[in-house]
């Protein structure tokens, strides 16, 4: 269910933390809750907010991926207070795997703010879950000029590591601006963690559980800063492809990503 409340305000601790002591990072104080998707109604995701990508896309969604995205409850469902996206090893319309990818394009498009989700991730070689965003002009402006903000990406064979990334003109793919975050005493597949950004016209800060680990500003990118426009949200699990490579015999299936909530603050 979407809940809009422009009056709710909560205190936020200011954290000036980074992965190295030479980083100068400032957290934006976005504290007014303007949208919360709590996944509290069982069944299909709310159609007022979410649409589906279906099929194999162009060249496996540009990455030679192996999954067929569906809207079947076997691959995507809301139950027990979570959105559940499940990757399966099965023959389906010519593909060896199925999964799901949903997006808020044309339904919820956000410019600036604190955007976060509480997620538990799957485990296994060849799995690539993500919580990310594309510029709302992606139909008319060819990627990467539309801009991409990867709030959280994760490779299933590295259960203690996630990464946050921006892509734009002159800094996409292997030349993107990215940074890893490592857990020291836990794993992303065994518990829920909060992944988010705080974003304004001059900065995108990335954090895990309120720990700021990556900050990107216009001076950090070698091309145009294309993040001063609305973006829409995407959630998916990719299987195989150039990154992260194919599943192997030890990859357990089915594997699910559980999303407890998504919240946006301004």
């Amino acid at each position: 269910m979407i809940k809009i409340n422009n009056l709710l305000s909560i205190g936020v601790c200011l954290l000036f933390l980074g992965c190295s002591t030479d980083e100068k990072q400032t957290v934006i104080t976005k504290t007014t809750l303007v949208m919360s998707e709590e996944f509290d109604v069982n069944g299909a995701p709310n159609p007022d907010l979410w649409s589906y990508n279906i099929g194999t896309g162009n060249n496996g969604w540009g990455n030679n991926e192996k999954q067929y995205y569906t809207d079947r409850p076997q691959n995507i469902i809301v139950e027990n207070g979570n959105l559940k996206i499940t990757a399966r090893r099965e023959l389906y319309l010519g593909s060896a795997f199925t999964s799901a990818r949903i997006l808020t394009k044309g339904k919820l498009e956000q410019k600036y703010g604190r955007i976060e989700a509480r997620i538990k991730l799957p485990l296994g070689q060849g799995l690539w879950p993500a919580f990310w965003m594309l510029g709302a002009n992606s139909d008319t402006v060819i990627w990467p000029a539309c801009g991409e903000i990867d709030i959280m990406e994760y490779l299933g064979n590295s259960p203690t590591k996630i990464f946050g990334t921006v892509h734009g003109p002159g800094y996409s793919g292997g030349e993107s601006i990215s940074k890893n975050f490592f857990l020291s005493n836990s794993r992303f597949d065994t518990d829920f963690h909060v992944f988010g950004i705080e974003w304004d016209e001059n900065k995108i800060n990335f954090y895990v559980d309120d720990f700021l680990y990556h900050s990107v500003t216009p001076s950090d990118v070698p091309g145009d800063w294309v993040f001063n426009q609305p973006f829409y949200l995407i959630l998916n699990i990719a299987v195989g492809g150039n990154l992260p490579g194919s599943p192997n015999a030890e990859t357990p299936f089915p594997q699910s990503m559980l999303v407890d909530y998504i919240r946006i603050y301004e």
Side-chain angles (χ1 to χ4, degrees):
M1 174 182 291
I2 308 171
K3 301 174 182 177
I4 306 296
N5 186 346
N6 288 315
L7 300 177
L8 179 61
S9 179
I10 64 172
V12 174
C13 295
L14 298 182
L15 301 180
F16 298 93
L17 299 174
C19 293
S20 65
T21 58
D22 62 348
E23 292 180 345
K24 298 184 185 304
Q25 301 175 322
T26 303
V27 173
I28 305 161
T29 54
K30 307 292 188 182
T31 60
T32 300
L33 183 67
V34 295
M35 192 284 286
S36 69
E37 165 65 286
E38 302 294 330
F39 299 112
D40 54 4
V41 177
N42 288 344
N46 183 352
D48 293 334
L49 182 59
W50 299 105
S51 301
Y52 301 86
N53 283 138
I54 302 293
T56 58
N58 182 24
N59 186 33
W61 303 100
N63 184 47
N64 196 31
E65 294 163 15
K66 307 304 180 186
Q67 80 284 334
Y68 193 105
Y69 285 134
T70 87
D71 59 359
R72 305 177 306 160
Q74 297 97 313
N75 295 116
I76 186 161
I77 194 168
V78 177
E79 61 182 15
N80 302 319
N82 297 310
L83 173 71
K84 183 178 181 181
I85 297 178
T86 301
R88 298 179 177 273
R89 189 194 301 267
E90 59 177 335
L91 294 176
Y92 186 84
L93 297 179
S95 297
F97 303 91
T98 61
S99 185
R101 175 162 138 172
I102 56 172
L103 61 163
T104 65
K105 183 179 178 182
K107 299 182 178 184
L108 172 67
E109 295 172 350
Q110 180 72 22
K111 180 180 178 180
Y112 308 144
R114 177 183 175 102
I115 302 163
E116 64 183 24
R118 185 171 183 263
I119 302 174
K120 183 178 179 182
L121 294 165
L123 177 69
Q125 165 63 35
L127 300 177
W128 185 10
F131 171 42
W132 53 297
M133 307 173 72
L134 282 176
N137 61 351
S138 60
D139 280 347
T140 57
V141 176
I142 301 300
W143 184 92
C146 64
E148 176 178 331
I149 304 171
D150 299 323
I151 301 173
M152 180 282 301
E153 293 182 279
Y154 163 91
L155 304 183
N157 62 335
S158 299
T160 63
K161 180 179 79 172
I162 61 94
F163 45 104
T165 307
V166 298
H167 302 258
Y171 50 101
S172 63
E175 304 300 320
S176 60
I177 309 300
S178 186
K179 194 165 190 179
N180 297 328
F181 175 87
F182 294 86
L183 283 176
S184 57
N185 297 307
S186 183
R187 290 165 38 150
F188 290 112
D189 66 310
T190 57
D191 203 358
F192 284 88
H193 294 271
V194 178
F195 307 98
I197 59 169
E198 290 193 323
W199 165 35
D200 68 9
E201 63 271 18
N202 294 311
K203 186 184 287 90
I204 304 172
N205 284 339
F206 294 77
Y207 65 90
V208 176
D209 298 329
D210 285 329
F211 187 94
L212 177 63
Y213 73 96
H214 185 27
S215 186
V216 184
T217 69
S219 64
D220 296 319
V221 304
D224 291 339
W225 180 258
V226 291
F227 306 105
N228 294 333
Q229 61 164 323
F231 278 61
Y232 57 88
L233 304 177
I234 307 171
L235 287 161
N236 70 295
I237 302 177
V239 182
N242 303 330
L243 181 76
S246 295
N248 57 30
E250 286 72 46
T251 304
F253 284 94
Q255 283 286 310
S256 297
M257 173 169 68
L258 301 179
V259 185
D260 181 24
Y261 62 74
I262 299 172
R263 295 172 184 165
I264 298 176
Y265 302 84
E266 294 180 345

